[in-house]
């Protein structure tokens, strides 16, 4: 073991040890360990950490880590000047994450990578954890090194201690993680190299999302309290009605009474009640909403309100008490190709409870909200071209007019009117046309995923639409005929039968996808790829590119097709324009279809915010 060995150019596996993580924030670094393909190992502390990383980046080595996003985040937080060399390495495809490589391989083979592995010791570890992969590939059980009594939880005690006086166990543990990461890398190279070609895009996005999640968004404690009070007050009459109807006792829904009420409601409709997988009458929100018993809607309202009160409000209150900032953790790659977030799930906040309004810009700044217009309709064009080798009518429309409104056009066709007549009826707020347009919107979003008539009947209820199965089937046949979608569905059926489907462009593979999963995957995973590339560019320009209008801004949230940053008031319009440009460039590069991403400036995360201009200059939207 050497502290400052001259490492052979080639592979450089590394790992950081830090203080404990608090509230999803990036913890202070304590040491960096490494292992190379030249059998050199070492551990460094203090300023030597940055010196080693700079040397590795300068040489052009391949940097390997098990959770690269975390380690890179720790490095740039401790040494901001490392943003440039590490960004260069990322953009030259020289950063590998063994966790992401494993996830890609699992998805390609029809799995997910989620779940638990039980080690020989009896310890339960995540399948994608280093311990899980070491057990899988090297047949080793390192669980004793990872338990709560091990040295891994006590590196903060060594922050100001000279390295030469460290306990040997602390040195051994740190270096072993780097050695094991390198060995797992080689095992993956031998086992499934064909599934790694999309890894670098995912690593870049993972790093950007980790930084974004750790930056967090400022909270307004008073707004949180007002939302809580409003929900509690609204729950009082709902609770009274539920207790009066016999559906609630001592603040809890009586499950047996609810099932019986749902059963009787469906009997009154002359329909069988939906069942759970176990054979019981379903009491899901959808089952309740569809049974036409208005009194039961109180159950849905109660559950939704209580979920916000028990899940989101406590989390936001705790974050506000800590430093008035909420931070989330993103998962860069799910089976669908999309991302997710947790603690809290910022990508799926309640829409109507006022939760979003609690997220605010810091003093002297504004939030820039920028999302794509009709993003999945545009990626659907590329998916169609990829699957069939033909240009769809939808793509032809977008090429003619980037602001083409597919819902208005389709509604007009259904009514036997021209597109121009449809746009005029929409402007006039014609009731009949708007109802037809809502139907067209449900069709344009539902049918590309392969929904049949019965499934679409239920799906349409989410758009406030009621129709018979026959009406749904007629609409489906019209949609397929007008948009000429039969070849797309045939191709997706072929993908399902052959056993895998691939993302257009990246060719990332999803194994054993069904027909409907294949239909959805083609366009939704393509949008995810484009949006993640935009996130990476936006984040790195905020921190690593001084000449960018985004430099000095802070990335705060990513919601699938929307990016939110925080910028100084005097620079917010310029930053917004640059963010929009990046997002448009990435979606157009992925689809070869014109794209639109319009930003808005707000003092808080307002769902209803729209772009407001003074002349040609974007200005703050106000309620």
């Amino acid at each position: 073991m050497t502290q400052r060995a001259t490492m052979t150019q080639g592979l450089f596996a590394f790992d950081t040890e830090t203080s404990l993580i608090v509230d999803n924030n990036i913890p202070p670094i304590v040491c960096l360990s490494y292992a190379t393909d030249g059998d050199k190992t070492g551990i460094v502390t203090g300023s030597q950490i940055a010196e080693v990383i700079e040397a590795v980046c300068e040489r052009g080595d391949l940097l390997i880590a098990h959770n690269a996003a975390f380690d890179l985040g720790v490095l740039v937080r401790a040494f901001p000047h490392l943003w440039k060399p590490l960004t260069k390495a990322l953009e030259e495809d020289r950063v590998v994450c063994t966790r992401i490589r494993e996830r890609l391989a699992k998805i390609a083979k029809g799995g997910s990578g989620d779940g638990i592995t039980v080690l020989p010791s009896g310890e339960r570890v995540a399948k994608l954890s280093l311990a899980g992969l070491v057990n899988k590939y090297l047949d080793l059980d390192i669980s004793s090194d990872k338990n709560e009594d091990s040295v891994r939880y006590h590196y903060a005690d060594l922050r100001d201690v000279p390295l030469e006086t460290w306990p040997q166990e602390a040195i051994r543990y740190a270096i072993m993680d780097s050695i094991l990461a390198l060995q797992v890398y080689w095992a993956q190279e031998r086992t499934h190299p064909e599934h790694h070609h999309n890894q670098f895009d995912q690593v870049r996005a993972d790093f950007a999302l980790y930084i974004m999640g750790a930056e967090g968004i400022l909270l307004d404690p008073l707004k949180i309290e007002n939302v809580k009070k409003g929900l509690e007050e609204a729950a009082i009459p709902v609770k009274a009605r539920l207790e009066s109807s016999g559906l609630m006792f001592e603040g809890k829904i009586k499950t047996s009474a609810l099932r019986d009420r749902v059963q009787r409601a469906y009997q009154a409709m002359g329909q069988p009640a939906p069942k759970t997988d176990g054979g019981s009458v379903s009491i899901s929100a959808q089952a309740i909403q569809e049974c036409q018993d208005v009194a039961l809607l109180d159950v849905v309202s109660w559950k939704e309100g209580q979920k916000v009160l028990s899940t989101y409000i406590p989390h936001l209150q705790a974050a506000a008490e800590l430093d008035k900032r909420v931070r989330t953790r993103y998962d860069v790659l799910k089976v669908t190709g999309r991302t997710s977030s947790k603690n809290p799930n910022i990508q799926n906040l309640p829409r109507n409870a006022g939760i979003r309004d609690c997220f605010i810009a810091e003093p002297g700044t504004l939030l820039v909200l920028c999302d794509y217009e009709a993003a999945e309709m545009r990626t659907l064009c590329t998916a169609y071209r990829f699957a069939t080798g033909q240009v769809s009518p939808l793509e032809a429309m977008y090429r003619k007019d980037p602001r083409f409104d597919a819902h208005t056009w389709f509604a007009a066709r259904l009514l036997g009117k021209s597109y121009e007549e449809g746009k005029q009826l929409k402007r006039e707020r014609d009731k009949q046309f708007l109802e037809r347009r809502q139907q067209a919107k449900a069709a344009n979003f539902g049918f590309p995923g392969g929904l049949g008539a019965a499934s679409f009947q239920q799906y349409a209820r989410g758009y406030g639409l009621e129709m018979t199965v026959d009406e749904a089937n007629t609409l489906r046949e019209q949609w397929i005929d007008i948009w000429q979608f039969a070849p797309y569905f045939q191709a997706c059926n072929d993908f399902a039968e052959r056993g895998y489907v691939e993302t257009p462009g990246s060719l990332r593979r999803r194994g054993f996808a069904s027909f409907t999963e294949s239909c959805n995957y083609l366009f939704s995973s393509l949008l995810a790829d484009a949006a993640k590339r935009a996130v990476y560019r936006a984040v790195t320009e905020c921190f690593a590119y001084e000449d960018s209008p985004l430099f000095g801004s802070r990335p705060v949230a990513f919601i699938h097709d929307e990016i939110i940053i925080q910028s100084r008031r005097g620079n917010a319009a310029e930053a917004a324009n640059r963010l929009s440009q990046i997002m448009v460039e990435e979606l157009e590069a992925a689809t070869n279809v014109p794209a639109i991403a319009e930003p808005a400036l707000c003092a808080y995360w307002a769902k209803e915010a729209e772009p407001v201009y003074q002349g040609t200059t974007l200005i703050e939207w106000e309620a």
Side-chain angles (χ1 to χ4, degrees):
M1 189 274 294
T2 59
Q3 288 188 31
R4 302 188 65 180
T6 302
M7 292 159 286
T8 305
Q9 184 176 9
L11 305 183
F12 179 85
F14 70 102
D15 183 59
T16 60
E17 301 299 342
T18 68
S19 300
L20 296 180
I21 301 171
V22 178
D23 188 38
N24 291 336
N25 207 341
I26 300 177
I29 193 169
V30 177
C31 69
L32 173 90
S33 65
Y34 60 83
T36 77
D37 54 343
D39 294 328
K40 301 281 183 140
T41 63
I43 182 170
V44 291
T45 59
S47 62
Q48 290 185 0
I49 296 172
E51 293 172 12
V52 168
I53 293 297
E54 286 179 296
V56 170
C57 291
E58 180 66 25
R59 277 201 308 272
D61 288 358
L62 190 69
L63 288 83
I64 301 166
H66 178 66
N67 186 359
F70 174 81
D71 293 307
L72 295 181
V74 167
L75 288 169
V76 297
R77 178 61 60 87
F79 308 101
H81 67 281
L82 290 181
W83 267 101
K84 285 189 175 180
L86 287 174
T87 296
K88 185 173 185 290
L90 283 162
E91 293 174 358
E92 292 177 352
D93 293 351
R94 291 193 290 108
V95 180
V96 169
C97 177
T98 53
R99 179 177 55 83
I100 285 177
R101 282 154 63 96
E102 193 69 19
R103 173 83 79 179
L104 285 166
K106 291 283 189 183
I107 293 172
K109 296 174 182 178
S112 68
D114 297 326
I116 298 296
T117 292
V118 180
L119 301 179
S121 63
E123 289 291 321
R124 298 165 58 85
V125 299
K127 287 183 178 180
L128 295 183
S129 66
L130 182 60
L133 297 190
V134 166
N135 179 250
K136 173 183 176 179
Y137 289 113
L138 309 179
D139 198 27
L140 295 176
D141 184 345
I142 59 171
S143 57
S144 61
D145 283 349
K146 306 294 182 181
N147 65 49
E148 294 184 2
D149 296 326
S150 70
V151 69
R152 70 178 302 207
Y153 290 98
H154 301 282
Y155 276 95
D157 299 338
L158 300 173
R159 284 193 65 191
D160 299 318
V161 177
L163 185 58
E164 55 270 19
T165 65
W166 278 27
Q168 284 302 305
E169 178 59 19
I171 294 173
R172 184 202 68 80
Y173 175 87
I175 293 178
M176 186 54 66
D177 270 4
S178 293
I179 293 173
L180 293 173
L182 183 58
Q183 291 178 343
V184 167
Y185 166 83
W186 279 121
Q188 290 174 332
E189 284 291 284
R190 292 189 298 269
T191 307
H192 43 68
E194 70 277 14
H195 299 311
H196 299 159
H197 60 275
N198 183 232
Q199 62 178 313
F200 299 112
D201 266 347
Q202 300 300 330
V203 169
R204 284 186 282 267
D206 197 25
F207 169 58
L209 289 171
Y210 177 65
I211 294 295
M212 178 179 281
E215 284 293 314
I217 314 180
L218 192 66
L219 293 166
D220 185 330
L222 181 59
K223 285 187 175 183
I224 297 171
E225 188 60 30
N226 287 339
V227 170
K228 179 183 178 183
K229 287 182 179 179
L231 289 169
E232 290 173 340
E233 290 173 359
I236 294 173
V238 175
K239 181 181 179 182
R241 290 195 297 269
L242 289 172
E243 289 177 338
S244 173
S245 65
L247 292 171
M248 176 177 283
F249 180 72
E250 295 184 348
K252 294 183 179 181
I253 298 293
K254 295 170 65 176
T255 303
S256 60
L258 178 57
R259 290 190 195 280
D260 181 62
R261 183 80 174 252
V262 170
Q263 175 79 47
R264 286 187 279 114
Y266 276 94
Q267 287 176 344
M269 294 165 56
Q271 297 181 15
K275 299 294 182 66
T276 65
D277 292 339
S280 301
V281 173
S282 174
I283 54 174
S284 68
Q286 181 175 331
I288 291 172
Q289 289 166 340
E290 293 175 359
C291 74
Q292 298 183 9
D293 185 336
V294 177
L296 288 180
L297 295 180
D298 277 336
V299 175
V300 177
S301 175
W302 172 265
K303 287 184 175 181
E304 289 177 348
Q306 293 305 301
K307 181 178 180 180
V308 175
L309 285 168
S310 64
T311 303
Y312 287 97
I313 294 298
H315 196 111
L316 297 186
Q317 287 179 322
E321 290 176 5
L322 184 65
D323 64 354
K324 295 185 179 181
R325 190 175 299 275
V326 66
R327 298 176 177 85
T328 189
R329 294 178 63 186
Y330 293 95
D331 185 339
V332 72
L333 184 62
K334 307 305 289 185
V335 171
T336 58
R338 287 156 63 93
T339 61
S340 67
S341 73
K342 62 181 181 180
N343 298 327
N345 182 358
I346 205 167
Q347 295 184 328
N348 192 29
L349 293 175
R351 287 182 172 272
N352 301 316
I355 291 292
R356 291 191 184 195
D357 294 356
C358 299
F359 297 86
I360 63 174
E362 295 183 14
T365 72
L366 289 170
L367 295 180
V368 178
L369 317 180
C370 192
D371 63 350
Y372 287 113
E373 179 182 305
E376 286 199 339
M377 296 300 290
R378 297 171 200 269
T379 57
L380 182 60
C381 297
T382 307
Y384 185 101
R385 189 178 347 113
F386 175 81
T388 69
Q390 305 169 24
V391 174
S392 68
L394 181 62
E395 180 172 346
M397 298 293 186
Y398 279 124
R399 292 197 177 282
K400 184 178 179 181
D401 176 12
R403 292 187 177 274
F404 171 67
D405 183 343
H407 311 321
T408 294
W409 183 88
F410 185 53
R413 283 292 300 267
L414 293 175
L415 292 171
K417 297 183 180 297
S418 70
Y419 180 39
E420 291 303 321
E421 288 174 318
K423 289 194 288 185
Q424 181 61 32
L425 290 170
K426 180 187 174 186
R427 285 192 293 269
E428 294 172 355
R429 307 295 297 170
D430 181 86
K431 182 179 179 181
Q432 180 188 12
F433 182 79
L434 292 180
E435 289 175 351
R436 200 61 162 166
R437 187 180 183 278
Q438 185 73 349
Q439 193 178 77
K441 184 177 182 180
N444 284 334
F445 286 147
F447 289 136
L451 289 180
S455 298
F456 182 78
Q457 182 191 33
Q458 295 184 4
Y459 176 82
R461 289 192 175 106
Y463 289 82
L465 301 171
E466 288 293 337
M467 61 180 65
T468 66
V469 173
D470 287 342
E471 289 171 335
N473 190 59
T474 297
L475 180 62
R476 182 176 184 273
E477 290 176 351
Q478 290 174 312
W479 187 89
I480 292 173
D481 179 60
I482 290 172
W483 289 120
Q484 299 175 23
F485 244 72
Y488 181 81
F489 289 146
Q490 181 58 56
C492 291
N493 188 66
D494 293 342
F495 295 149
E497 289 184 352
R498 79 179 181 185
Y500 65 90
V501 62
E502 294 175 320
T503 304
S506 69
L507 300 182
R508 183 177 61 256
R509 183 172 294 187
R510 177 179 179 180
F512 298 103
S514 67
F515 166 70
T516 55
E517 288 169 342
S518 296
C519 290
N520 278 291
Y521 184 82
L522 286 172
F523 60 86
S524 63
S525 67
L526 177 60
L527 173 56
D529 280 1
K532 283 188 272 190
R533 284 194 290 268
V535 167
Y536 169 76
R537 287 182 61 188
V539 169
T540 53
E541 288 197 18
C542 285
F543 291 97
Y545 292 91
E546 291 94 337
D547 58 346
S548 169
L550 289 172
F551 188 73
S553 297
R554 289 296 177 263
V556 295
F558 173 62
I559 304 89
H560 300 306
D561 61 355
E562 179 181 13
I563 299 174
I564 303 177
I565 65 171
Q566 178 180 272
S567 298
R568 297 183 302 276
R569 282 183 172 268
N571 186 57
E574 193 177 1
N577 290 335
R578 177 55 182 161
L579 177 60
S580 172
Q581 181 184 13
I582 289 172
M583 292 176 66
V584 167
E585 287 176 354
E586 289 301 336
L587 189 56
E588 290 185 343
T591 63
N592 196 28
V593 174
I596 294 174
E598 288 195 302
L601 302 180
C602 315
Y604 62 97
W605 187 0
K607 182 180 68 172
E608 65 274 21
E610 296 180 350
V612 179
Y613 290 90
Q614 191 172 71
T616 59
T617 303
L618 187 68
I619 62 173
E620 180 183 355
W621 170 89
E622 296 180 347

